[in-house]
Amino acid sequence: MKAMIFAAGLGTRLRPLTDTVPKALVPVGGVPMLERVARKLGKASLGPIVVNVCHLADKVESFVEGRDLGVKILLSREDGLEPLETGGGIKHAARLLDGRFLLHNVDMLSDLDIRQFVSRDDPDSLATLLVNDRPSDRYLLFDDDMRLVGWTNVLTGQVKGPAAGKDISKFRRYAFCGIHIISAEKAFPLMDGWPERFGIMDFYLDACSTQLIRGVVADRLNIIDIGSPETLAEAERAVSQGLFAL
């Protein structure tokens, strides 16, 4: 199975660090985030791995070309001032992807057993999303069969997807982990009508009214979304304590 790592982001919440260092190359425990994720996927026998680049793209490309990450890396460069977001990034990299492939945010640090997650993928679905029960402002909503039916922001009360206008207390509520598996054959034809830049979650929430999108719950998962100086410091502490070993 191929994989794709989202590494094009601006990393605005990590500024000023990311003004000169791509978020993908911000080190955690002395190891760049991109290297941690790539090695984790490679050890799970995934590959080749597509890495999309935009912000400070030359630095990411030079790093990939100069470092043996233990797995073949294919670069998808997004030329422009801003990245194409997650959905646009996948669509732009379509020539490099086929079959069912795994997607992983570069800033998600976890102790997930990748092979086990892949084994729970529903091959008949448009996508299988890794979720867990952790505090969040935003949740995905699923029915009793763990089929995606919507999204909600608990701070604003906003609801998107087929669940909008319904009693969302009837649905199961989980936080998205930034790791998912998608079908190229099902997804790319549906993406034809989408603009160059869009988020993959907007795509899922639109598609789930007619397409099967499953959620897989990860129990006892240690995971950190490294999106701010505070969570970067949390990740550094966790690595120093022996968590998230390479």
Side-chain angles (χ1 to χ4, degrees):
M1 178 183 284
K2 290 183 178 178
M4 179 174 179
I5 300 174
F6 295 118
L10 301 175
T12 54
R13 291 182 294 162
L14 285 171
R15 285 177 173 163
L17 176 60
T18 47
D19 286 337
T20 55
V21 178
K23 180 171 68 171
L25 299 186
V26 171
V28 179
V31 180
M33 295 184 198
L34 176 58
E35 181 170 351
R36 285 187 173 275
V37 176
R39 290 193 181 279
K40 184 179 183 72
L41 298 181
K43 287 181 179 179
S45 300
L46 271 65
I49 296 174
V50 176
V51 176
N52 69 332
V53 295
C54 181
H55 177 58
L56 301 173
D58 290 345
K59 292 187 176 182
V60 181
E61 290 176 346
S62 294
F63 174 80
V64 168
E65 291 165 0
R67 183 75 64 96
D68 181 4
L69 298 176
V71 64
K72 184 177 180 180
I73 301 293
L74 306 174
L75 291 165
S76 176
R77 184 167 182 138
E78 300 172 11
D79 294 316
L81 296 178
E82 294 185 350
L84 300 177
E85 299 185 33
T86 47
I90 297 169
K91 183 178 179 180
H92 185 71
R95 69 195 185 282
L96 303 173
L97 298 162
D98 54 63
R100 295 186 73 82
F101 56 94
L102 184 140
L103 299 150
H104 199 302
N105 290 359
V106 76
D107 53 4
M108 298 303 288
L109 187 65
S110 79
D111 58 2
L112 175 70
D113 184 330
I114 296 288
R115 286 194 182 96
Q116 185 181 65
F117 173 54
V118 170
S119 73
R120 298 176 68 187
D121 175 38
D122 184 342
D124 295 323
S125 68
L126 168 65
T128 299
L129 318 182
L130 184 75
V131 297
N132 74 338
D133 186 9
R134 71 179 191 275
S136 178
D137 296 336
R138 300 169 179 84
Y139 292 98
L140 294 178
L141 302 172
F142 298 88
D143 65 16
D144 289 341
D145 293 324
M146 286 305 293
R147 179 170 183 156
L148 181 68
V149 295
W151 169 96
T152 185
N153 182 321
V154 296
L155 296 181
T156 65
Q158 183 183 16
V159 180
K160 295 181 180 179
K166 299 179 180 179
D167 179 4
I168 65 171
S169 67
K170 297 180 180 179
F171 300 122
R172 300 185 182 195
R173 191 177 76 172
Y174 292 103
F176 181 47
C177 295
I179 304 169
H180 37 138
I181 297 170
I182 191 169
S183 164
E185 285 70 27
K186 289 181 170 65
F188 289 136
L190 293 173
M191 289 180 176
D192 281 344
W194 285 71
E196 183 181 46
R197 178 181 287 109
F198 64 95
I200 190 60
M201 193 52 64
D202 290 330
F203 173 77
Y204 286 155
L205 291 171
D206 179 76
C208 70
S209 60
T210 59
Q211 300 288 322
L212 174 61
I213 299 176
R214 293 282 190 196
V216 167
V217 181
D219 296 321
R220 298 181 297 277
L221 179 69
N222 292 307
I223 188 167
I224 300 175
D225 179 354
I226 308 172
S228 67
E230 293 76 20
T231 52
L232 177 58
E234 180 185 351
E236 289 281 5
R237 289 192 297 271
V239 169
S240 70
Q241 294 168 1
L243 292 176
F244 310 123
L246 285 173

